[in-house]
Amino acid sequence: MKINELCREAYETAKSKGWHDKPVETGTLLALIHSEVSEALEADRKGWDGDFAEELADVCIRVFDLCGSKRIDLEYHIRKKMEFNKTRSYKHGGKAY
Ligand SMILES: [Mg+2]
């Protein structure tokens, strides 16, 4: 399955469950993505491998929903950025992380 198909499916599923009945601010959707990242951090800290993987999936699903709701061509932008990253210097010129 392609990434943009996952975006459409995640958005349609969220929409069918009522999560897009009213317009949702982008900041709210980004905060929800962040909450899933925090849940992944917590699962990792506790050594819960299955939960860690599930929370990472939640992060992706939230990103897919956001992109689906805004009709963002995520597949294109991921490929474009990955190709750009290949051209960057070692540690991007000396960044710590
Ligand atoms: Mg979660």
Side-chain angles (χ1 to χ4, degrees):
M1 181 175 276
K2 293 192 171 192
I3 290 169
N4 286 342
E5 292 171 7
L6 291 170
C7 291
R8 275 189 292 276
E9 184 177 338
Y11 171 64
E12 290 301 326
T13 299
K15 188 177 165 188
S16 75
K17 302 299 177 185
W19 298 114
H20 290 285
D21 285 352
K22 297 178 187 171
V24 184
E25 291 182 4
T26 303
T28 299
L29 295 175
L30 291 170
L32 290 169
I33 292 165
H34 190 273
S35 75
E36 297 298 348
V37 172
S38 295
E39 288 176 11
L41 171 64
E42 195 63 16
D44 183 55
R45 291 177 68 209
K46 292 178 177 173
W48 298 343
D49 291 344
D51 288 356
F52 178 62
E54 188 172 309
E55 297 306 341
L56 291 178
D58 282 344
V59 171
C60 293
I61 291 166
R62 293 280 191 191
V63 170
F64 294 159
D65 174 43
L66 171 57
C67 291
S69 72
K70 296 188 174 299
R71 299 182 183 207
I72 292 171
D73 187 345
L74 184 61
E75 209 167 304
Y76 166 78
H77 288 284
I78 287 173
R79 179 53 57 201
K80 181 180 169 189
K81 190 63 194 283
M82 288 179 74
E83 290 304 315
F84 172 71
N85 285 346
K86 290 176 187 174
T87 71
R88 300 183 84 173
S89 60
Y90 185 75
K91 290 193 174 179
H92 301 177
K95 289 183 181 173
Y97 204 81

